[in-house]
Every structure is written in structure tokens, then in C-alpha cells.
Amino acid sequence: MISFPTVNNGTAVLGLGIDAGGTQTRWALAGADGAIVADGAVDGLSALQMGSDAGRAAVHATFAQLCQAVLAVGQPRAVVAGLTGFGGDDVVLAQALAGLLALDVTDVRLCNDIEIAYRDSFAPGQGYLVYAGTGSIAAWIDTEGVFHRAGGRGVLLDDGGGGYWIAREALRQIWRREDEAPGSWQASPMAEAVFAHVGGSDWSLSRAFMYGQDRGTIGRLALAVAASAENDPLALDILQRAGQELARLALALVARHGPRPVVLAGRAAQLHPAMAAAMRAALPVSLQMEQRIARPHDAAARQAASLAAGKD
């Protein structure tokens, strides 16, 4: 987390932006002029966790940690939060944030995390965002404000090209090879890196990791795959196929809504240059593509600051 002095003197207008994903939840505070005055990160969370008592407790604990860090800097007057898995109908989430920040619930606006990520890259109608984090999705917000998507169905169903998908593919390939030739993992830099991450080469450890960890923790295993790509052709192949999966998402929107510029963003998209290169190769030459480092929490903070300033 980046440390800043307290900036709110009781009259400053501050807006809080939150980008909550499966791996990490990032936040930023913006002033009325749009300048970011503080930011930080806490554990990942998902709106889907609200379906169980344990999940709700975990979300509230993460929110509490985030709000404690925010209030150490200043008091926001409005919040715009994008959350993975958000379906648009969970009042409890807004109430939790409002209560922790001493705000009215009407000062808290929630949406899906991909919506704020889109607005970080495009104005409505301009282009397509392909976002690869723990999961993957392509998005277009048209000039009427209607949200259109391809993918983003969840890691258990698909989300090809995301961090979870990369991790699952790596373990799947490793254990298939072990079925055919036990001990072959010792000749694979990717397997060595993956097993070091999960704690060892015994099947019970891989099983406990895949079936006992949350999706964000599993997604971080993709870091080990990317780290071995220069020395292991299988790791490189997985990353290239991930790029092709991301291209498929963009092409789905192109087929439905016509050609527009494409932006690739998200932490998983930055794992290795092979992903963006494979995606570019799978798209028509005429289709403009750019890779960007997304900071949707900054965009959300500026939107929140604008809303807060409008209340004065």
C-alpha cells in the first residue's frame, strides 16, 4: 500500500473508487480536480461470496480493512465500486460500505468491475475492452449506456485466457504427463515452478490446492507458469493459447457489433508478452489493438469525486 498524509481538512471533496477482483481489491481517493491523492490494495473479494455466511463475513472483513486505510487519509463523500460477480441487486454490499464509511447508502454506487474497467479505457461506444484477470471477459458499453459482453461466465465454466484458466491448464498438462510417464515433471521447468508454488510434487498437494483454495489464490499460480515460459515450451504454449482465447472474446463482439478498436488490459494479460502477441496474431490485421495497464480504481475514484462535488 502507498502511504499518504491525511488530506481531508473537513471540507475537501474526496471520492473513493474501488475495483474488487478475485485476486486483489484496489482502491483510490480522488479530489474534486480528479487528482489521485491516495491508493492502496487489500485482499480480493467477489459479490458471489454474499451467498454464504462465511462469504459475507469475509467480504465485510475485507471492506473493513479497506475503509480503515481510506479513513486514515480522509473522509470520502461518495463511493463508486466495481465488484467481480456483481449482479446489480445486492443492497447489503452498499449498506456495508456506507456503514463503515459513515455515509448514506445513496452515496454508494455499485456496478460490475468490468464496467469501471471499460470506462478507464473508452467512452461509451468507442471500442471493445478485453480484460484478463483471474477470469476473462470482453465488454462494450454502447452510446445508450447498454452493457454488452462476451465471456465472463466464471472460472468453473470458461473464462479462457484468465489467470485461473492458465493455472488449471498447467496442472492439467502436468498431471496428464505424470499419468503417461511418472516422474517426468522433474524435466519440466514449468512443473518444478508450479509444484514449488503448491508446496510439493505429491498429487495430494495439487488436489488440495485446486479444490481447497479460492479462485484468486489459484489464479496467482499463473505467475509460476509465466516465469517458466522462456525455458519450457509447454508453458509458452499455454500462454499463447491464452492469448488466442482472449482474441476469441474480441472477435465475438466484432461479429455482433462491428469492428472497433480493441484494448487488452488486466493483470493476467501482463504475465508474459506471448499472450498479447498471440492475441494480436489471431485478430484481423485491420483491427486496431492496444495493450494498456488498467487502473479502473482511479477511474472510479474520479467518477465518485465528480458525484461528490455535484452534491455541494
Side-chain angles (χ1 to χ4, degrees):
M1 174 181 170
I2 301 174
S3 298
F4 291 83
T6 300
V7 298
N8 197 346
N9 59 12
T11 60
V13 173
L14 293 175
L16 171 62
I18 298 173
D19 174 33
T23 303
Q24 190 178 61
T25 298
R26 296 182 291 173
W27 62 267
L29 278 172
D33 60 355
I36 302 299
V37 299
D39 64 4
V42 294
D43 291 340
L45 64 86
S46 168
L48 298 175
Q49 292 174 269
M50 299 301 289
S52 70
D53 290 342
R56 285 189 290 274
V59 169
H60 194 276
T62 301
F63 275 164
Q65 182 184 7
L66 185 154
C67 293
Q68 182 180 24
V70 168
L71 292 173
V73 179
Q75 172 67 60
R77 297 195 193 179
V79 181
V80 173
L83 299 92
T84 187
F86 182 70
D89 55 357
D90 202 324
V91 177
V92 177
L93 286 165
Q95 291 174 333
L97 278 172
L100 289 165
L101 294 167
L103 295 173
D104 190 280
V105 72
T106 59
D107 295 323
V108 179
R109 296 194 179 183
L110 302 182
C111 62
N112 192 284
D113 60 335
I114 195 63
E115 293 185 42
I116 60 169
Y118 182 92
R119 294 177 187 276
D120 184 48
S121 298
F122 294 113
Q126 285 187 340
Y128 303 127
L129 173 68
V130 176
Y131 198 90
T134 302
S136 64
I137 190 172
W140 179 51
I141 298 177
D142 66 25
T143 55
E144 301 299 319
V146 178
F147 182 86
H148 305 267
R149 67 190 291 158
R153 311 301 179 186
V155 296
L156 294 182
L157 184 61
D158 195 345
D159 279 12
Y164 187 105
W165 183 93
I166 292 169
R168 184 182 62 209
E169 283 295 297
L171 278 169
R172 185 171 70 90
Q173 292 294 337
I174 289 167
W175 284 109
R176 282 190 172 191
R177 290 193 169 192
E178 286 301 295
D179 288 340
E180 297 161 0
S184 60
W185 70 268
Q186 297 175 74
S188 166
M190 181 183 75
E192 289 185 349
V194 166
F195 284 156
H197 189 97
V198 303
S201 61
D202 190 84
W203 161 239
S204 64
L205 296 168
S206 292
R207 180 180 60 202
F209 182 82
M210 283 301 297
Y211 297 108
Q213 297 289 345
D214 63 81
R215 68 191 193 98
T217 300
I218 294 171
R220 284 191 286 273
L221 181 60
L223 292 166
V225 180
S228 59
E230 301 304 318
N231 300 311
D232 195 318
L234 183 56
L236 182 61
D237 177 69
I238 289 172
L239 296 172
Q240 290 171 334
R241 288 192 291 114
Q244 293 165 2
E245 289 286 335
L246 298 175
R248 185 194 71 82
L249 296 175
L251 291 172
L253 290 181
V254 169
R256 285 156 48 191
H257 304 290
R260 285 180 175 81
V262 175
V263 162
L264 171 64
R267 294 172 69 85
Q270 302 168 34
L271 285 170
H272 195 279
M275 291 180 64
M279 180 178 173
R280 172 69 272 180
L283 295 175
V285 176
S286 59
L287 199 65
Q288 179 184 338
M289 176 189 149
E290 176 186 357
Q291 184 173 12
R292 296 182 188 172
I293 296 176
R295 293 188 63 85
H297 53 308
D298 288 358
R302 294 187 180 99
Q303 185 180 352
S306 179
L307 293 172
K311 295 178 183 293
D312 287 351

